[in-house]
């Protein structure tokens, strides 16, 4: 896709003054999809709870893409790594996309038992060729119950509800990855100075295929680097 790279001096960022020259700095990634097709941003129907099913994407007015997985080569994992946690409520799973450490916690907010299915789809190093594997059944009793399961490092998983048209949450067992916020942006911190490959992935959903974009960002000491990754029309 189209790539735009900019660099600017952060304003009032005390971390910039504490860093040793030539070591690390931060990178802000924006993921965008210009002129998102109507089908990709339209709800495909309603859930068994009579709530709207989530579309593939809910872009901002400037076509920013929230809930996209961002992988930057060389990004250090958080210490401690975030623990992925998904909640089932109103026949939907939230958050929609999450990245973190080697275990996944799943909590029910429903007033009746629920059955979910967790499938490994492959590795984050091969996002263009993910294939769902055999399901692992997750049984959730009533609200407040949490189930914890182990994840394979570097793998991509999908957690699905048991509806005929299931709602999905995607989990990346990647402590150094991140997910774009409602603005379509996310900041990764403490990257080594130099060039970094950036990958953005919007998982498949609502009958729409996944989207994948790539870019290269250059991180310089004392500056907040910025890169935009665009999905093709």
């Amino acid at each position: 896709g189209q790539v735009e790279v900019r660099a600017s001096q952060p304003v009032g960022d005390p971390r910039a003054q504490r860093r040793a020259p030539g070591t690390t700095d931060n990178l802000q990634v924006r993921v965008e999809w210009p002129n998102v097709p109507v089908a990709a941003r339209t709800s495909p129907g309603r859930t068994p709870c009579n709530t709207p099913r989530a579309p593939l994407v809910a872009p901002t007015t400037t076509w920013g893409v929230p809930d996209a997985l961002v992988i930057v080569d060389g990004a250090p994992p958080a210490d401690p790594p975030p623990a992925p946690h998904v909640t089932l409520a109103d026949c939907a799973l939230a958050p929609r996309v999450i990245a973190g450490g080697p275990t996944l916690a799943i909590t029910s907010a429903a007033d009746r038992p629920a059955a979910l299915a967790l499938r490994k789809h492959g590795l984050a190093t091969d996002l263009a060729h993910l294939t769902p594997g055999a399901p692992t059944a997750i049984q959730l009793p009533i609200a407040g119950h949490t189930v914890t399961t182990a994840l394979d490092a570097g793998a991509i998983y999908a957690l699905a509800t048991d509806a005929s048209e299931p709602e999905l949450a995607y989990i990346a067992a990647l402590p150094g990855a991140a997910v774009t916020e409602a603005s379509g942006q996310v900041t990764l911190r403490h990257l080594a100075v130099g060039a970094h490959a950036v990958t953005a992935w919007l998982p498949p959903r609502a009958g729409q295929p996944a989207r994948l974009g790539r870019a290269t960002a250059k991180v310089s000491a004392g500056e907040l680097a910025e890169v935009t990754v665009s999905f093709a029309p």
Side-chain angles (χ1 to χ4, degrees):
Q2 299 176 348
V3 177
E4 176 187 356
V5 181
R6 304 184 302 275
S8 59
Q9 180 70 32
V11 178
D13 182 0
R15 293 184 299 271
Q17 300 175 4
R18 294 199 301 266
R19 298 187 195 100
T23 54
T24 66
D25 221 296
N26 302 331
L27 171 65
Q28 180 176 280
V29 179
R30 170 180 164 82
V31 179
E32 64 179 30
W33 187 356
N35 302 309
V36 176
V38 172
R41 47 191 166 97
T42 301
S43 169
R46 305 190 76 81
T47 71
C49 296
N50 201 33
T51 54
R53 292 185 62 206
L56 173 65
V57 63
T60 69
T61 56
T62 56
W63 305 115
V65 177
D67 295 320
L69 179 69
V70 173
I71 302 171
V72 178
D73 287 356
D79 186 20
H85 193 159
V86 174
T87 299
L88 171 67
D90 297 327
C91 300
L93 297 161
R96 299 172 52 160
V97 183
I98 190 169
T103 59
L104 169 67
I106 308 162
T107 298
S108 172
D111 58 2
R112 61 184 182 276
L116 306 178
L118 181 68
R119 297 175 186 263
K120 181 179 175 180
H121 281 229
L123 297 176
T125 52
D126 195 17
L127 290 171
H129 302 96
L130 297 179
T131 303
T136 297
I138 305 291
Q139 302 294 331
L140 284 177
I142 59 173
H145 188 84
T146 298
V147 171
T148 301
T149 185
L151 305 175
D152 293 338
I156 302 291
Y157 291 82
L159 182 67
T161 59
D162 61 354
S164 58
E165 295 182 333
E167 293 299 296
L168 299 170
Y170 287 87
I171 303 96
L174 296 165
V179 177
T180 54
E181 301 167 353
S183 62
Q185 299 182 163
V186 68
T187 299
L188 291 95
R189 305 190 183 281
H190 308 307
L191 276 79
V193 166
H196 294 266
V198 181
T199 300
W201 180 64
L202 184 66
R205 183 186 300 275
Q208 300 291 317
R211 292 283 169 164
L212 187 63
R214 303 184 191 278
T216 299
K218 184 177 181 181
V219 175
S220 301
E223 297 179 339
L224 173 66
E226 300 179 5
V227 64
T228 297
V229 184
S230 295
F231 295 136

